Amino acid sequence: MLDVTEGLKIAGAALGVIAFIWRVRDEVSTFLQIDVKASVDGEGNASVLTTVENKSSFRKYLKNAVLLVGPEAESPIDTFNQIATEYGYGPVGSTNEIAEVDLNSKLSTNDRVIIPLDFYYSENLAIGDECLTFRAIIPKAKLGSGKSYAVRFFLNPKRGYHRSTHDAFTMPSRS
């Protein structure tokens, strides 16, 4: 029969193992942190700074990353479908599908742009415990003067759920 001291040692060891497993699970399942910041300079040139940060010690692998720019009041699904169907992609029915579409180049129509960000998954084989940024230029010829736009950053990891974040900007009126 176990005495109290031996029982406490076993219980302590078991709790230590459980805490270790819980910590490893947290590290592996932690989502990447993403951010998007849109800006327009004095010349009316729009750009979007995207950030992907892995706060975990484990590498994360990505399948896809894409920027979607369109009228602020429009749903991202409508924005995507307006552009993509002209180029033979889509239509899509959800943002999950937007995050999965693998594009070879920038696509645009009036007031809408899709920009693949292969920097995150092609130039970087994995994202370690680091913070990566990429700035994309939005062709101002495709955007209307004095209009407001939504920009969405979609990130699709190889494991887990897609992530997205949003910012907005207004193009200055052209004289």
Side-chain angles (χ1 to χ4, degrees):
M1 180 161 230
L2 293 175
D3 66 359
V4 173
T5 306
E6 290 297 315
L8 288 174
K9 287 179 184 177
I10 292 171
L15 289 173
V17 168
I18 290 169
F20 175 75
I21 291 170
W22 192 265
R23 177 71 179 139
V24 168
R25 186 202 65 83
D26 278 351
E27 284 286 322
V28 171
S29 64
T30 301
F31 284 109
L32 292 168
Q33 306 295 308
I34 65 174
D35 192 34
V36 62
K37 297 276 188 247
S39 60
V40 180
D41 67 16
E43 310 276 312
N45 299 304
S47 68
V48 178
L49 179 65
T50 58
T51 304
V52 176
E53 184 174 8
N54 182 6
K55 293 185 177 183
S56 167
S57 300
F58 289 87
R59 290 180 293 228
K60 306 287 184 178
Y61 297 90
L62 301 176
K63 286 193 289 191
N64 202 18
V66 65
L67 278 177
L68 179 65
V69 179
E72 186 178 25
E74 190 171 72
S75 83
I77 295 165
D78 291 342
T79 299
F80 183 88
N81 286 336
Q82 290 262 348
I83 305 168
T85 52
E86 286 190 28
Y87 291 90
Y89 297 95
V92 300
S94 71
T95 56
N96 290 342
E97 294 175 67
I98 294 172
E100 292 174 0
V101 174
D102 186 21
L103 303 172
N104 296 326
S105 63
K106 188 182 298 185
L107 307 178
S108 61
T109 62
N110 288 337
D111 292 329
R112 293 164 187 84
V113 181
I114 302 172
I115 302 172
L117 300 177
D118 59 348
F119 165 81
Y120 287 114
Y121 56 90
S122 178
E123 290 185 38
N124 294 280
L125 299 177
I127 299 176
D129 59 343
E130 59 192 333
C131 182
L132 302 176
T133 62
F134 183 86
R135 182 174 298 277
I137 305 301
I138 310 298
K140 70 180 176 182
K142 297 295 180 183
L143 304 177
S145 171
K147 293 184 178 180
S148 294
Y149 293 92
V151 58
R152 287 175 173 84
F153 176 31
F154 291 94
L155 195 68
N156 196 15
K158 288 193 176 180
R159 289 187 51 214
Y161 302 109
H162 89 274
R163 312 300 298 157
S164 65
T165 192
H166 169 276
D167 198 11
F169 63 96
T170 300
M171 291 299 290
S173 297
R174 296 182 188 122
S175 318

